[in-house]
Amino acid sequence: MCILYLADPAAAGEWRDYLSTLAPELEFRQWPDIGNPAEVLYILAWEPLADLAEQFRNLRVLYAAGAGVDQFDLAQLPDQVSLVRLVDLSMADIMAEYVLLSVLALHRDILTYQEDQRSGRWQPRPIVHASQRRVGVMGVGNLGRAALDRLQPLGFKLSGWNRSLKNVPGGRCYVGLEQLEHFLGQCDILVNMLPLTPETNGILNAARFRCLPHGAGFINVGRGAHVIEQDLLDALNAGQVGGAVLDVLVQEPPSPQSPFWKHPRILLTPHVASDVQIEGGVAVIVENLRREREGLPILNVVDRSKGY
Ligand code: NDP
């Protein structure tokens, strides 16, 4: 029984060490040394693999080396193969830290002060108390909930928008497309933490940005394709969106000519808001091995009907 590793080659040694300690029954193989493909029961991959079903007839679980699974074509996966996300608490913690940093940066107007610094301007601006700042999170899942929990002690007015009703600490959860505009209308800072699916692709467009209070902040840690990027740039240039912290873009990295590099109202990071933590990811694999042995349902399986 073996797991085939097709994720970041630089991290392979660490995955191998953790797995061989915690699941010694599982042989670790690294692509392209697949050995006998019939022995491959598990694959850990960041990108989809062509001819997966034909090559690995005994494959049981495809572990996605990330929280998002939009890179995989679920329709291509054989029915007997489960797609599993390696999400764990530490990954959510790291994401919550990034969201906290970004909310605080927008809340305390860091983009403006950065512009002031560059042009030699010393100009204090009014301070808004956190209790007067409304922060809304789209997607109250593993990561969204962790971010809300991290923001709550700072006193922000919190809300969430989600497909199903979720508990939002200290605030309201808006549900479904019918309540999206209402939700957006009360977000001084909007944080996108949705998974990318056919329903959420391009969900943040010009009309939706117009729903936000004028000058609202925007943080995107979901996926670039949630946003119609030209609409965001137009909204930023018009001041409708006052500033944006973007960790994800449609094209990563953007082309050298992309306006995202130098826009004064954008803080850009290279898709680093969070990442699978090896120790936590291995813990999911080990727990799922135990569950398989005991005939229990395995954890973190992607729901094919929902796409996340
Ligand atoms: P989860 O699956 O735990 O949560 C997703 C949430 O979004 C769920 O609460 C779900 O609602 C909601 N949702 C999904 N579709 C819709 C919709 N059409 N309308 C309203 N709500 C919807 O995912 P995670 O929180 O673990 O991860 C979220 C995303 O974060 C990932 O898919 C990935 O794209 C991104 N990510 C980004 C990283 C980065 O470094 N920038 C790192 C890791 C993840 P319901 O509960 O009702 O199903």
Side-chain angles (χ1 to χ4, degrees):
M1 151 162 116
C2 90
I3 184 164
L4 179 64
Y5 180 88
L6 278 118
D8 177 10
E14 215 177 325
W15 280 98
R16 181 195 297 271
D17 291 348
Y18 271 111
L19 277 167
S20 59
T21 308
L22 297 171
E25 71 277 26
L26 199 58
E27 187 192 336
F28 184 95
R29 291 183 193 160
Q30 188 178 350
W31 180 267
D33 299 324
I34 61 172
N36 178 359
E39 291 164 3
V40 175
L41 304 193
Y42 311 98
I43 288 181
L44 172 55
W46 171 248
E47 294 284 344
L49 181 65
D51 308 326
L52 187 88
E54 292 74 34
Q55 276 201 74
F56 303 102
R57 294 186 180 281
N58 296 323
L59 185 65
R60 289 185 201 160
V61 182
L62 173 59
Y63 284 102
V69 291
D70 45 283
Q71 66 276 37
F72 295 100
D73 181 354
L74 297 178
Q76 294 290 318
L77 271 188
D79 289 345
Q80 72 278 12
V81 177
S82 304
L83 178 60
V84 168
R85 302 188 313 139
L86 290 177
V87 283
D88 76 318
L89 284 176
S90 55
M91 184 177 193
D93 257 0
I94 292 169
M95 176 59 90
E97 182 182 273
Y98 182 98
V99 172
L100 180 64
L101 167 83
S102 308
V103 167
L104 287 174
L106 293 173
H107 170 59
R108 296 305 302 261
D109 229 348
I110 289 303
L111 288 167
T112 306
Y113 290 122
Q114 202 172 41
E115 279 186 80
D116 286 351
Q117 179 187 351
R118 290 191 179 130
S119 45
R121 206 165 34 233
W122 186 268
Q123 191 183 338
R125 291 159 206 277
I127 293 174
V128 176
H129 194 269
S131 63
Q132 300 307 310
R133 191 77 80 184
R134 299 164 299 175
V135 181
V137 171
M138 292 178 89
V140 188
N142 281 311
L143 304 180
R145 178 59 208 245
L148 286 160
D149 286 342
R150 189 66 69 87
L151 289 166
Q152 192 192 21
L154 279 86
F156 291 108
K157 283 188 183 163
L158 301 178
S159 65
W161 180 77
N162 204 61
R163 184 201 292 271
S164 60
L165 187 65
K166 290 280 177 74
N167 183 29
V168 170
R172 171 172 172 189
C173 181
Y174 295 79
V175 177
L177 279 179
E178 319 74 60
Q179 295 184 3
L180 180 55
E181 291 189 2
H182 192 180
F183 162 76
L184 293 172
Q186 54 83 62
C187 289
D188 299 318
I189 298 177
L190 172 68
V191 190
N192 174 39
M193 306 190 74
L194 287 166
L196 185 64
T197 66
E199 291 102 77
T200 63
N201 197 312
I203 193 166
L204 291 165
N205 56 21
R208 301 265 160 71
F209 288 125
R210 274 198 298 275
C211 294
L212 293 168
H214 186 78
F218 173 56
I219 297 162
N220 192 10
V221 290
R223 287 288 182 264
H226 284 129
V227 177
I228 306 297
E229 291 184 331
Q230 189 54 53
D231 291 359
L232 173 61
L233 289 165
D234 292 345
L236 282 162
N237 292 336
Q240 171 57 18
V241 173
V245 181
L246 305 177
D247 185 53
V248 286
L249 293 175
V250 171
Q251 186 187 328
E252 297 176 3
S255 71
Q257 302 76 32
S258 165
F260 288 110
W261 289 115
K262 295 211 169 121
H263 199 292
R265 305 305 302 171
I266 292 177
L267 203 158
L268 184 66
T269 53
H271 202 141
V272 291
S274 190
D275 200 0
V276 166
Q277 299 301 295
I278 297 177
E279 205 173 344
V282 167
V284 173
I285 296 172
V286 170
E287 172 62 12
N288 278 350
L289 286 171
R290 182 187 73 79
R291 285 168 171 260
E292 273 189 291
R293 273 196 307 273
E294 296 178 11
L296 299 169
I298 57 172
L299 298 176
N300 296 347
V301 177
V302 170
D303 179 334
R304 291 181 190 222
S305 65
K306 289 170 151 182
Y308 59 91

